Amino acid sequence: MSDFAALWAEIVAVGRSADGGYRRYALTPPELTLRDWFRGQAGRRGMTVTEDGNGNLFAWCGEPWAPGTVLTGSHFDSVPGGGGYDGPLGIVSAFLALDRIASPRNLAIGAFVEEEGGRFGVPCLGSRLMTGAITPARAAALTDRDGITFGEALGSTPTGQISGISHLSAFVELHIEQGRALDVPVGVGSAIWPHGRWRMEFAGAGDHAGTTRMTDRRDPMLTFAHTVLAANEEARLIGAHATVGRVQAEPNATNAIPSMVRGWLDARAADTATLDRLLESVIKRATERAGRDGTELSVVAESVTDEVAFDTELARRLSALLGDAPILPTGAGHDAGVMSSHVPTAMLFVRNPTGVSHAPAEGASNEDCEAGVEALARVLESLT
Amino acid sequence: MSDFAALWAEIVAVGRSADGGYRRYALTPPELTLRDWFRGQAGRRGMTVTEDGNGNLFAWCGEPWAPGTVLTGSHFDSVPGGGGYDGPLGIVSAFLALDRIASPRNLAIGAFVEEEGGRFGVPCLGSRLMTGAITPARAAALTDRDGITFGEALGSTPTGQISGISHLSAFVELHIEQGRALDVPVGVGSAIWPHGRWRMEFAGAGDHAGTTRMTDRRDPMLTFAHTVLAANEEARLIGAHATVGRVQAEPNATNAIPSMVRGWLDARAADTATLDRLLESVIKRATERAGRDGTELSVVAESVTDEVAFDTELARRLSALLGDAPILPTGAGHDAGVMSSHVPTAMLFVRNPTGVSHAPAEGASNEDCEAGVEALARVLESLT
């Protein structure tokens, strides 16, 4: 068994459901198990483990936050029913890459909390906190579906911005590729598409499904449905991505016209102007339909992230180091995107044959994962 | 204060939320409180209380199930966020009508369990059980959203068909009107539209919302949305009612294309042929769209109820007795519809100015409720 396969086997079953999907929400038992595993791996390698008061975990070869340290790592949490590679691959690969460096120094491995936003709704929460991109008070008040706040789950108000970030010389995140753009085992990231999440609330009039005449209805499910189709059409026309993956109806009863339907729009595009144009056209069509349906629409931006271009010179250098590895953008958000405003940042992507992500079919061969470890080791060695 | 207002005030707050909507699910604390109240009212009037082993509760003036008994009553349970009149008005009015009859005899008041299907999914569960329209085994296995079965909630397997039903000489259910058809305080029911609930499952491929190309997607939310709009259009074209009030997406995450969306179609029409035609055209359009989206559709009928015509002669007689009260059909299902295959059955409707039902705006004036009590008393007196 390769060293990758052996280490991977230690965590593969944590938080996995019968259907193969993972439920590793931040600060819930499966993710806490993985954090313990992280401490164990660091301990075995004689690394010091620190927490930053924001829920992020770090293992250090050398003095914590020493100037010139190179940070690598990723996250443990998953979306509901997600795959097992998204996040953990970057952490497992980091420990194995370290093992391949003769005398590692000024190196650290991080495990960021709540990267997916799957529990508290704001993605990259841990990296946003440590870079000051979200205030501790706002983060502390975010609630999960059971009404538990992030502050309660963490056990305290987060610390917020960490001054040590400015001492890091680079951050490198290795991640499973989330599309089918790679035809070699490993690629280098160039940029993250600008993207955002908007909560759309369609308010109508709750009423009896059997007795209310069709002409008397103000049914928000119709406006929601029209908007789902409009978002898809507009994204296709403009070459962007739009998804409505989450919906909530109230009272959500078979025999009642809903009083309210909430839908969350996830939209991404290659540049900010296109993303703005997409959102504008979706809201325009939703508003027109709301007028016909007698419903009302309100839209709240839950998170919007501008385009992130990683350090171009660094990407070029790593691509050359890895034998002209392809350089590719991604539509997914990452902690690397948040970190890149503060630290020279790079991403490595490992090939995913299905291209599927956020679902159980996500995956990578052990050979490609080994290649990822090898690439990460070479990158870290060249940076330290 | 009128005697109606006084008795109504005793139960008005039970199970009511801050927004005015009720959550009185069958066999949950609010409904159990109302059942205790029922026992108390019966006790005050010297009535014997029995249970039928199916969750239905009866109070008797005279020997239980004595030949020639006239049964009246309704249900306590509500849809999620429903109004307070739908069901309880028929029970409160029954006790007050009894008070207005000089020497009541051979009279019984019933409180049927799970009329709305709001907890276990099958409407009129109590009346279906006692008439043998559903088997005890099937009813016992129905589950609520927390996985509790009806058998567990009841504390035993239901008894099923009650032979005493054939001894009843009539069943009369007084109910809040669920539309705006009445321009006088009280009307008499003629028929219940045929209606049904179909669970539509749209299966697609779960994937990442940001990284999956639009052309690679098999997004079941699109097929669902198209079907919602198609059902609305087809129902309008054909003069029927169609509603999708309940939806569930999996994994229901903002940044994941759903792997599955479930939508429940509630459809009703004036006759069975129209209802069948409606369902056929909705499924046809949904299937066509599924072909385009690369998704799969399966449809399961959760409950389908044929047209119910109440006893025509009885309705005519009661209308005359009540000063030519209007005779009107309803699009809503009722225990009276289930009972009517076994007992001569009639319904009285009390005017609802908003026409709203299954929502907090449902209501009736105290004067109209008093008129309902008076009408029910005259009807029961004339039948016993």
Side-chain angles (χ1 to χ4, degrees), chain A residues 80 178 180 197 206-208 210-211 216-217 241 243 246-247 251-252 255 268 357-359, chain B residues 80 178 180 197 206-208 210-211 216-217 241 243 246-247 251-252 255 268 357-359:
Chain A
Q178 296 171 284
R180 291 187 297 176
R197 302 174 177 190
D207 214 328
H208 192 293
T211 56
D216 286 346
R217 298 176 176 216
H241 290 175
T243 310
R246 184 175 172 197
V247 58
N252 210 26
N255 55 355
R268 326 218 180 189
S357 179
H358 286 185
Chain B
Q178 295 171 285
R180 292 187 298 174
R197 300 173 179 193
D207 213 328
H208 193 293
T211 56
D216 285 346
R217 298 178 176 216
H241 290 176
T243 311
R246 185 175 172 196
V247 58
N252 210 28
N255 55 354
R268 327 215 180 190
S357 178
H358 285 185

mmCIF file of all heavy atoms in Angstrom, chain A residues 80 178 180 197 206-208 210-211 216-217 241 243 246-247 251-252 255 268 357-359, chain B residues 80 178 180 197 206-208 210-211 216-217 241 243 246-247 251-252 255 268 357-359:
data_model
loop_
_atom_site.group_PDB
_atom_site.id
_atom_site.type_symbol
_atom_site.label_atom_id
_atom_site.label_comp_id
_atom_site.label_asym_id
_atom_site.label_seq_id
_atom_site.Cartn_x
_atom_site.Cartn_y
_atom_site.Cartn_z
ATOM 1 N N PRO A 80 -23.201 19.182 2.760
ATOM 2 C CA PRO A 80 -24.037 18.014 3.060
ATOM 3 C C PRO A 80 -24.019 17.024 1.891
ATOM 4 O O PRO A 80 -24.303 17.404 0.759
ATOM 5 C CB PRO A 80 -25.444 18.602 3.259
ATOM 6 C CG PRO A 80 -25.389 20.029 2.806
ATOM 7 C CD PRO A 80 -23.965 20.441 2.816
ATOM 8 N N GLN A 178 -12.260 20.364 -9.456
ATOM 9 C CA GLN A 178 -13.714 20.256 -9.358
ATOM 10 C C GLN A 178 -14.394 20.342 -10.720
ATOM 11 O O GLN A 178 -15.575 20.649 -10.814
ATOM 12 C CB GLN A 178 -14.217 21.339 -8.390
ATOM 13 C CG GLN A 178 -13.663 21.068 -6.988
ATOM 14 C CD GLN A 178 -13.933 22.192 -6.015
ATOM 15 O OE1 GLN A 178 -13.290 23.223 -6.065
ATOM 16 N NE2 GLN A 178 -14.879 21.992 -5.127
ATOM 17 N N ARG A 180 -13.460 18.979 -15.185
ATOM 18 C CA ARG A 180 -12.732 17.978 -15.952
ATOM 19 C C ARG A 180 -11.692 18.638 -16.851
ATOM 20 O O ARG A 180 -11.433 18.184 -17.949
ATOM 21 C CB ARG A 180 -13.715 17.161 -16.779
ATOM 22 C CG ARG A 180 -14.607 16.275 -15.895
ATOM 23 C CD ARG A 180 -15.450 15.346 -16.732
ATOM 24 N NE ARG A 180 -16.357 16.113 -17.581
ATOM 25 C CZ ARG A 180 -17.163 15.585 -18.487
ATOM 26 N NH1 ARG A 180 -17.173 14.262 -18.674
ATOM 27 N NH2 ARG A 180 -17.965 16.331 -19.216
ATOM 28 N N ARG A 197 -23.500 34.290 -3.294
ATOM 29 C CA ARG A 197 -24.750 33.625 -2.910
ATOM 30 C C ARG A 197 -25.763 34.692 -2.567
ATOM 31 O O ARG A 197 -25.487 35.565 -1.737
ATOM 32 C CB ARG A 197 -24.544 32.788 -1.642
ATOM 33 C CG ARG A 197 -23.491 31.749 -1.789
ATOM 34 C CD ARG A 197 -23.259 31.070 -0.442
ATOM 35 N NE ARG A 197 -22.281 30.020 -0.644
ATOM 36 C CZ ARG A 197 -21.973 29.095 0.242
ATOM 37 N NH1 ARG A 197 -22.564 29.080 1.423
ATOM 38 N NH2 ARG A 197 -21.080 28.164 -0.021
ATOM 39 N N GLY A 206 -50.469 32.693 1.919
ATOM 40 C CA GLY A 206 -50.792 31.313 2.257
ATOM 41 C C GLY A 206 -52.292 31.099 2.151
ATOM 42 O O GLY A 206 -53.065 31.981 2.528
ATOM 43 N N ASP A 207 -52.693 29.953 1.607
ATOM 44 C CA ASP A 207 -54.130 29.700 1.470
ATOM 45 C C ASP A 207 -54.338 28.208 1.202
ATOM 46 O O ASP A 207 -53.389 27.448 1.037
ATOM 47 C CB ASP A 207 -54.695 30.559 0.326
ATOM 48 C CG ASP A 207 -56.123 31.004 0.603
ATOM 49 O OD1 ASP A 207 -56.855 30.243 1.270
ATOM 50 O OD2 ASP A 207 -56.502 32.091 0.159
ATOM 51 N N HIS A 208 -55.607 27.811 1.144
ATOM 52 C CA HIS A 208 -55.960 26.392 0.973
ATOM 53 C C HIS A 208 -55.758 25.976 -0.484
ATOM 54 O O HIS A 208 -56.228 26.659 -1.393
ATOM 55 C CB HIS A 208 -57.419 26.205 1.384
ATOM 56 C CG HIS A 208 -57.826 24.773 1.536
ATOM 57 N ND1 HIS A 208 -57.895 23.895 0.480
ATOM 58 C CD2 HIS A 208 -58.186 24.064 2.633
ATOM 59 C CE1 HIS A 208 -58.284 22.713 0.929
ATOM 60 N NE2 HIS A 208 -58.468 22.792 2.239
ATOM 61 N N GLY A 210 -57.033 23.499 -2.017
ATOM 62 C CA GLY A 210 -58.211 22.921 -2.673
ATOM 63 C C GLY A 210 -59.278 23.936 -2.999
ATOM 64 O O GLY A 210 -59.983 23.814 -4.001
ATOM 65 N N THR A 211 -59.408 24.949 -2.165
ATOM 66 C CA THR A 211 -60.589 25.800 -2.249
ATOM 67 C C THR A 211 -60.319 27.183 -2.825
ATOM 68 O O THR A 211 -61.253 27.899 -3.157
ATOM 69 C CB THR A 211 -61.203 25.977 -0.845
ATOM 70 O OG1 THR A 211 -60.202 26.494 0.022
ATOM 71 C CG2 THR A 211 -61.691 24.652 -0.300
ATOM 72 N N ASP A 216 -57.524 33.820 -7.652
ATOM 73 C CA ASP A 216 -57.406 34.544 -6.376
ATOM 74 C C ASP A 216 -56.043 34.335 -5.713
ATOM 75 O O ASP A 216 -55.776 34.892 -4.656
ATOM 76 C CB ASP A 216 -58.481 34.063 -5.380
ATOM 77 C CG ASP A 216 -59.859 34.587 -5.735
ATOM 78 O OD1 ASP A 216 -59.934 35.513 -6.570
ATOM 79 O OD2 ASP A 216 -60.847 34.066 -5.196
ATOM 80 N N ARG A 217 -55.197 33.512 -6.318
ATOM 81 C CA ARG A 217 -53.962 33.117 -5.634
ATOM 82 C C ARG A 217 -52.848 34.148 -5.776
ATOM 83 O O ARG A 217 -52.756 34.828 -6.792
ATOM 84 C CB ARG A 217 -53.460 31.776 -6.212
ATOM 85 C CG ARG A 217 -54.448 30.678 -5.980
ATOM 86 C CD ARG A 217 -53.999 29.381 -6.620
ATOM 87 N NE ARG A 217 -54.969 28.354 -6.253
ATOM 88 C CZ ARG A 217 -54.687 27.086 -5.993
ATOM 89 N NH1 ARG A 217 -53.438 26.666 -6.105
ATOM 90 N NH2 ARG A 217 -55.624 26.243 -5.646
ATOM 91 N N HIS A 241 -22.266 30.618 -14.632
ATOM 92 C CA HIS A 241 -22.897 29.509 -13.907
ATOM 93 C C HIS A 241 -23.943 30.065 -12.945
ATOM 94 O O HIS A 241 -23.664 31.009 -12.205
ATOM 95 C CB HIS A 241 -21.854 28.728 -13.096
ATOM 96 C CG HIS A 241 -20.901 27.937 -13.928
ATOM 97 N ND1 HIS A 241 -19.834 27.245 -13.397
ATOM 98 C CD2 HIS A 241 -20.856 27.713 -15.262
ATOM 99 C CE1 HIS A 241 -19.168 26.648 -14.363
ATOM 100 N NE2 HIS A 241 -19.763 26.922 -15.513
ATOM 101 N N THR A 243 -27.061 28.468 -10.173
ATOM 102 C CA THR A 243 -27.634 27.274 -9.573
ATOM 103 C C THR A 243 -28.582 27.680 -8.453
ATOM 104 O O THR A 243 -28.251 28.574 -7.670
ATOM 105 C CB THR A 243 -26.518 26.410 -8.937
ATOM 106 O OG1 THR A 243 -25.473 26.238 -9.894
ATOM 107 C CG2 THR A 243 -27.043 25.052 -8.484
ATOM 108 N N ARG A 246 -30.815 25.198 -3.113
ATOM 109 C CA ARG A 246 -31.433 25.168 -1.794
ATOM 110 C C ARG A 246 -32.769 25.895 -1.843
ATOM 111 O O ARG A 246 -32.851 26.995 -2.388
ATOM 112 C CB ARG A 246 -30.485 25.833 -0.782
ATOM 113 C CG ARG A 246 -30.984 25.770 0.644
ATOM 114 C CD ARG A 246 -29.924 26.338 1.589
ATOM 115 N NE ARG A 246 -30.445 26.452 2.925
ATOM 116 C CZ ARG A 246 -29.906 27.197 3.893
ATOM 117 N NH1 ARG A 246 -28.805 27.877 3.649
ATOM 118 N NH2 ARG A 246 -30.451 27.255 5.081
ATOM 119 N N VAL A 247 -33.788 25.292 -1.282
ATOM 120 C CA VAL A 247 -35.123 25.879 -1.278
ATOM 121 C C VAL A 247 -35.811 25.565 0.040
ATOM 122 O O VAL A 247 -35.565 24.508 0.644
ATOM 123 C CB VAL A 247 -35.946 25.351 -2.486
ATOM 124 C CG1 VAL A 247 -36.058 23.836 -2.469
ATOM 125 C CG2 VAL A 247 -37.337 25.961 -2.537
ATOM 126 N N PRO A 251 -45.836 27.172 4.651
ATOM 127 C CA PRO A 251 -45.536 26.196 5.705
ATOM 128 C C PRO A 251 -45.014 24.866 5.165
ATOM 129 O O PRO A 251 -44.744 23.981 5.928
ATOM 130 C CB PRO A 251 -46.893 26.004 6.389
ATOM 131 C CG PRO A 251 -47.898 26.264 5.308
ATOM 132 C CD PRO A 251 -47.285 27.308 4.410
ATOM 133 N N ASN A 252 -44.823 24.726 3.872
ATOM 134 C CA ASN A 252 -44.340 23.474 3.260
ATOM 135 C C ASN A 252 -45.306 22.318 3.498
ATOM 136 O O ASN A 252 -44.896 21.213 3.836
ATOM 137 C CB ASN A 252 -42.938 23.119 3.769
ATOM 138 C CG ASN A 252 -42.118 22.356 2.722
ATOM 139 O OD1 ASN A 252 -42.363 22.489 1.525
ATOM 140 N ND2 ASN A 252 -41.180 21.539 3.163
ATOM 141 N N ASN A 255 -51.183 20.529 1.147
ATOM 142 C CA ASN A 255 -52.485 21.117 0.798
ATOM 143 C C ASN A 255 -52.590 22.602 1.145
ATOM 144 O O ASN A 255 -53.681 23.103 1.375
ATOM 145 C CB ASN A 255 -53.624 20.312 1.452
ATOM 146 C CG ASN A 255 -53.430 20.197 2.957
ATOM 147 O OD1 ASN A 255 -52.420 20.637 3.499
ATOM 148 N ND2 ASN A 255 -54.408 19.618 3.625
ATOM 149 N N ARG A 268 -21.782 32.490 -10.584
ATOM 150 C CA ARG A 268 -20.334 32.649 -10.792
ATOM 151 C C ARG A 268 -20.093 32.996 -12.264
ATOM 152 O O ARG A 268 -20.841 32.552 -13.130
ATOM 153 C CB ARG A 268 -19.605 31.331 -10.498
ATOM 154 C CG ARG A 268 -20.261 30.543 -9.376
ATOM 155 C CD ARG A 268 -19.295 29.863 -8.490
ATOM 156 N NE ARG A 268 -20.028 29.146 -7.447
ATOM 157 C CZ ARG A 268 -19.456 28.578 -6.401
ATOM 158 N NH1 ARG A 268 -18.145 28.628 -6.257
ATOM 159 N NH2 ARG A 268 -20.176 27.960 -5.490
ATOM 160 N N SER A 357 -18.099 17.202 -8.144
ATOM 161 C CA SER A 357 -17.667 17.772 -6.876
ATOM 162 C C SER A 357 -18.893 18.039 -6.005
ATOM 163 O O SER A 357 -19.997 18.198 -6.515
ATOM 164 C CB SER A 357 -16.915 19.071 -7.165
ATOM 165 O OG SER A 357 -16.506 19.678 -5.965
ATOM 166 N N HIS A 358 -18.697 18.078 -4.714
ATOM 167 C CA HIS A 358 -19.809 18.278 -3.772
ATOM 168 C C HIS A 358 -20.829 17.155 -3.872
ATOM 169 O O HIS A 358 -22.017 17.352 -3.598
ATOM 170 C CB HIS A 358 -20.475 19.648 -3.958
ATOM 171 C CG HIS A 358 -19.636 20.778 -3.425
ATOM 172 N ND1 HIS A 358 -20.062 22.075 -3.391
ATOM 173 C CD2 HIS A 358 -18.402 20.779 -2.879
ATOM 174 C CE1 HIS A 358 -19.112 22.831 -2.857
ATOM 175 N NE2 HIS A 358 -18.097 22.063 -2.547
ATOM 176 N N ALA A 359 -20.382 15.982 -4.247
ATOM 177 C CA ALA A 359 -21.245 14.808 -4.359
ATOM 178 C C ALA A 359 -20.341 13.579 -4.273
ATOM 179 O O ALA A 359 -19.126 13.678 -4.511
ATOM 180 C CB ALA A 359 -22.013 14.834 -5.677
ATOM 181 N N PRO B 80 -49.739 22.772 9.100
ATOM 182 C CA PRO B 80 -48.731 23.660 9.687
ATOM 183 C C PRO B 80 -49.050 25.120 9.370
ATOM 184 O O PRO B 80 -49.203 25.470 8.212
ATOM 185 C CB PRO B 80 -47.422 23.223 9.023
ATOM 186 C CG PRO B 80 -47.788 22.306 7.897
ATOM 187 C CD PRO B 80 -49.160 21.796 8.164
ATOM 188 N N GLN B 178 -64.285 27.422 3.021
ATOM 189 C CA GLN B 178 -62.880 27.601 2.649
ATOM 190 C C GLN B 178 -62.727 28.367 1.342
ATOM 191 O O GLN B 178 -61.700 28.284 0.684
ATOM 192 C CB GLN B 178 -62.205 26.226 2.607
ATOM 193 C CG GLN B 178 -62.181 25.621 4.016
ATOM 194 C CD GLN B 178 -61.742 24.182 4.035
ATOM 195 O OE1 GLN B 178 -62.503 23.298 3.653
ATOM 196 N NE2 GLN B 178 -60.524 23.950 4.471
ATOM 197 N N ARG B 180 -64.972 31.857 -0.947
ATOM 198 C CA ARG B 180 -65.809 33.039 -0.717
ATOM 199 C C ARG B 180 -67.156 32.893 -1.397
ATOM 200 O O ARG B 180 -67.734 33.855 -1.897
ATOM 201 C CB ARG B 180 -65.078 34.279 -1.227
ATOM 202 C CG ARG B 180 -63.845 34.605 -0.380
ATOM 203 C CD ARG B 180 -63.239 35.921 -0.786
ATOM 204 N NE ARG B 180 -62.789 35.872 -2.181
ATOM 205 C CZ ARG B 180 -62.316 36.906 -2.842
ATOM 206 N NH1 ARG B 180 -62.237 38.087 -2.250
ATOM 207 N NH2 ARG B 180 -61.920 36.784 -4.098
ATOM 208 N N ARG B 197 -53.238 13.702 -3.924
ATOM 209 C CA ARG B 197 -51.869 14.181 -3.694
ATOM 210 C C ARG B 197 -50.910 13.227 -4.369
ATOM 211 O O ARG B 197 -50.969 12.019 -4.122
ATOM 212 C CB ARG B 197 -51.546 14.158 -2.195
ATOM 213 C CG ARG B 197 -52.431 14.998 -1.372
ATOM 214 C CD ARG B 197 -52.130 14.777 0.106
ATOM 215 N NE ARG B 197 -53.009 15.633 0.880
ATOM 216 C CZ ARG B 197 -52.890 15.895 2.165
ATOM 217 N NH1 ARG B 197 -51.898 15.335 2.849
ATOM 218 N NH2 ARG B 197 -53.718 16.682 2.778
ATOM 219 N N GLY B 206 -26.135 15.107 -8.392
ATOM 220 C CA GLY B 206 -25.560 16.096 -7.479
ATOM 221 C C GLY B 206 -24.177 16.494 -7.963
ATOM 222 O O GLY B 206 -23.421 15.637 -8.426
ATOM 223 N N ASP B 207 -23.856 17.779 -7.890
ATOM 224 C CA ASP B 207 -22.537 18.215 -8.349
ATOM 225 C C ASP B 207 -22.265 19.616 -7.805
ATOM 226 O O ASP B 207 -23.116 20.221 -7.157
ATOM 227 C CB ASP B 207 -22.497 18.218 -9.888
ATOM 228 C CG ASP B 207 -21.109 17.851 -10.423
ATOM 229 O OD1 ASP B 207 -20.116 18.180 -9.744
ATOM 230 O OD2 ASP B 207 -21.034 17.251 -11.497
ATOM 231 N N HIS B 208 -21.060 20.111 -8.064
ATOM 232 C CA HIS B 208 -20.641 21.416 -7.535
ATOM 233 C C HIS B 208 -21.281 22.539 -8.347
ATOM 234 O O HIS B 208 -21.227 22.529 -9.571
ATOM 235 C CB HIS B 208 -19.117 21.512 -7.619
ATOM 236 C CG HIS B 208 -18.529 22.654 -6.852
ATOM 237 N ND1 HIS B 208 -18.728 23.968 -7.197
ATOM 238 C CD2 HIS B 208 -17.753 22.673 -5.745
ATOM 239 C CE1 HIS B 208 -18.076 24.745 -6.334
ATOM 240 N NE2 HIS B 208 -17.472 23.976 -5.436
ATOM 241 N N GLY B 210 -20.360 25.580 -8.584
ATOM 242 C CA GLY B 210 -19.438 26.549 -9.164
ATOM 243 C C GLY B 210 -18.651 26.005 -10.334
ATOM 244 O O GLY B 210 -18.322 26.735 -11.265
ATOM 245 N N THR B 211 -18.349 24.729 -10.297
ATOM 246 C CA THR B 211 -17.374 24.200 -11.245
ATOM 247 C C THR B 211 -17.986 23.345 -12.350
ATOM 248 O O THR B 211 -17.307 23.038 -13.320
ATOM 249 C CB THR B 211 -16.330 23.347 -10.491
ATOM 250 O OG1 THR B 211 -17.038 22.345 -9.766
ATOM 251 C CG2 THR B 211 -15.528 24.198 -9.530
ATOM 252 N N ASP B 216 -22.984 20.229 -18.725
ATOM 253 C CA ASP B 216 -22.722 18.912 -18.123
ATOM 254 C C ASP B 216 -23.740 18.568 -17.034
ATOM 255 O O ASP B 216 -23.678 17.492 -16.445
ATOM 256 C CB ASP B 216 -21.330 18.890 -17.466
ATOM 257 C CG ASP B 216 -20.212 18.809 -18.500
ATOM 258 O OD1 ASP B 216 -20.524 18.501 -19.663
ATOM 259 O OD2 ASP B 216 -19.051 19.050 -18.134
ATOM 260 N N ARG B 217 -24.658 19.476 -16.746
ATOM 261 C CA ARG B 217 -25.526 19.286 -15.578
ATOM 262 C C ARG B 217 -26.732 18.394 -15.856
ATOM 263 O O ARG B 217 -27.238 18.373 -16.976
ATOM 264 C CB ARG B 217 -26.043 20.662 -15.102
ATOM 265 C CG ARG B 217 -24.916 21.552 -14.666
ATOM 266 C CD ARG B 217 -25.405 22.928 -14.252
ATOM 267 N NE ARG B 217 -24.267 23.681 -13.754
ATOM 268 C CZ ARG B 217 -24.309 24.547 -12.752
ATOM 269 N NH1 ARG B 217 -25.463 24.808 -12.152
ATOM 270 N NH2 ARG B 217 -23.229 25.168 -12.351
ATOM 271 N N HIS B 241 -57.899 22.885 -10.057
ATOM 272 C CA HIS B 241 -56.943 23.472 -9.118
ATOM 273 C C HIS B 241 -55.694 22.593 -9.054
ATOM 274 O O HIS B 241 -55.809 21.377 -8.918
ATOM 275 C CB HIS B 241 -57.541 23.563 -7.706
ATOM 276 C CG HIS B 241 -58.633 24.572 -7.576
ATOM 277 N ND1 HIS B 241 -59.349 24.747 -6.422
ATOM 278 C CD2 HIS B 241 -59.118 25.475 -8.463
ATOM 279 C CE1 HIS B 241 -60.247 25.711 -6.603
ATOM 280 N NE2 HIS B 241 -60.129 26.163 -7.825
ATOM 281 N N THR B 243 -51.669 22.718 -7.154
ATOM 282 C CA THR B 243 -50.795 23.432 -6.229
ATOM 283 C C THR B 243 -49.573 22.572 -5.941
ATOM 284 O O THR B 243 -49.707 21.373 -5.724
ATOM 285 C CB THR B 243 -51.521 23.678 -4.886
ATOM 286 O OG1 THR B 243 -52.805 24.239 -5.149
ATOM 287 C CG2 THR B 243 -50.727 24.598 -3.973
ATOM 288 N N ARG B 246 -45.367 21.933 -1.290
ATOM 289 C CA ARG B 246 -44.331 21.293 -0.481
ATOM 290 C C ARG B 246 -43.190 20.856 -1.381
ATOM 291 O O ARG B 246 -43.420 20.254 -2.436
ATOM 292 C CB ARG B 246 -44.936 20.072 0.222
ATOM 293 C CG ARG B 246 -43.984 19.398 1.191
ATOM 294 C CD ARG B 246 -44.694 18.282 1.945
ATOM 295 N NE ARG B 246 -43.770 17.507 2.726
ATOM 296 C CZ ARG B 246 -44.020 16.313 3.236
ATOM 297 N NH1 ARG B 246 -45.206 15.751 3.061
ATOM 298 N NH2 ARG B 246 -43.107 15.669 3.931
ATOM 299 N N VAL B 247 -41.980 21.146 -0.965
ATOM 300 C CA VAL B 247 -40.799 20.805 -1.763
ATOM 301 C C VAL B 247 -39.664 20.417 -0.826
ATOM 302 O O VAL B 247 -39.563 20.932 0.296
ATOM 303 C CB VAL B 247 -40.393 22.005 -2.663
ATOM 304 C CG1 VAL B 247 -40.116 23.250 -1.847
ATOM 305 C CG2 VAL B 247 -39.204 21.670 -3.539
ATOM 306 N N PRO B 251 -28.918 17.645 -1.668
ATOM 307 C CA PRO B 251 -28.720 17.827 -0.224
ATOM 308 C C PRO B 251 -29.232 19.170 0.291
ATOM 309 O O PRO B 251 -29.128 19.433 1.449
ATOM 310 C CB PRO B 251 -27.201 17.744 -0.085
ATOM 311 C CG PRO B 251 -26.666 18.253 -1.383
ATOM 312 C CD PRO B 251 -27.659 17.825 -2.435
ATOM 313 N N ASN B 252 -29.839 19.978 -0.557
ATOM 314 C CA ASN B 252 -30.365 21.294 -0.165
ATOM 315 C C ASN B 252 -29.252 22.221 0.333
ATOM 316 O O ASN B 252 -29.387 22.888 1.348
ATOM 317 C CB ASN B 252 -31.468 21.138 0.902
ATOM 318 C CG ASN B 252 -32.510 22.269 0.827
ATOM 319 O OD1 ASN B 252 -32.730 22.844 -0.239
ATOM 320 N ND2 ASN B 252 -33.129 22.598 1.944
ATOM 321 N N ASN B 255 -24.401 25.636 -2.513
ATOM 322 C CA ASN B 255 -23.374 25.489 -3.550
ATOM 323 C C ASN B 255 -23.311 24.093 -4.150
ATOM 324 O O ASN B 255 -22.273 23.660 -4.628
ATOM 325 C CB ASN B 255 -22.000 25.914 -2.995
ATOM 326 C CG ASN B 255 -21.651 25.157 -1.726
ATOM 327 O OD1 ASN B 255 -22.471 24.408 -1.207
ATOM 328 N ND2 ASN B 255 -20.449 25.354 -1.250
ATOM 329 N N ARG B 268 -57.156 19.052 -7.861
ATOM 330 C CA ARG B 268 -58.594 18.881 -7.609
ATOM 331 C C ARG B 268 -59.362 19.389 -8.824
ATOM 332 O O ARG B 268 -58.920 20.307 -9.501
ATOM 333 C CB ARG B 268 -59.034 19.700 -6.396
ATOM 334 C CG ARG B 268 -57.946 19.808 -5.338
ATOM 335 C CD ARG B 268 -58.459 19.808 -3.960
ATOM 336 N NE ARG B 268 -57.333 19.909 -3.030
ATOM 337 C CZ ARG B 268 -57.445 19.740 -1.720
ATOM 338 N NH1 ARG B 268 -58.622 19.467 -1.182
ATOM 339 N NH2 ARG B 268 -56.389 19.823 -0.941
ATOM 340 N N SER B 357 -58.038 29.921 3.754
ATOM 341 C CA SER B 357 -58.070 28.695 4.540
ATOM 342 C C SER B 357 -56.666 28.128 4.615
ATOM 343 O O SER B 357 -55.835 28.409 3.752
ATOM 344 C CB SER B 357 -59.020 27.714 3.856
ATOM 345 O OG SER B 357 -59.051 26.500 4.549
ATOM 346 N N HIS B 358 -56.392 27.357 5.638
ATOM 347 C CA HIS B 358 -55.053 26.785 5.854
ATOM 348 C C HIS B 358 -54.017 27.884 6.044
ATOM 349 O O HIS B 358 -52.839 27.689 5.731
ATOM 350 C CB HIS B 358 -54.657 25.847 4.715
ATOM 351 C CG HIS B 358 -55.371 24.520 4.790
ATOM 352 N ND1 HIS B 358 -55.113 23.476 3.949
ATOM 353 C CD2 HIS B 358 -56.349 24.084 5.620
ATOM 354 C CE1 HIS B 358 -55.899 22.462 4.260
ATOM 355 N NE2 HIS B 358 -56.665 22.806 5.262
ATOM 356 N N ALA B 359 -54.444 29.011 6.580
ATOM 357 C CA ALA B 359 -53.545 30.135 6.857
ATOM 358 C C ALA B 359 -54.221 30.985 7.920
ATOM 359 O O ALA B 359 -55.435 30.909 8.110
ATOM 360 C CB ALA B 359 -53.294 30.937 5.578
#
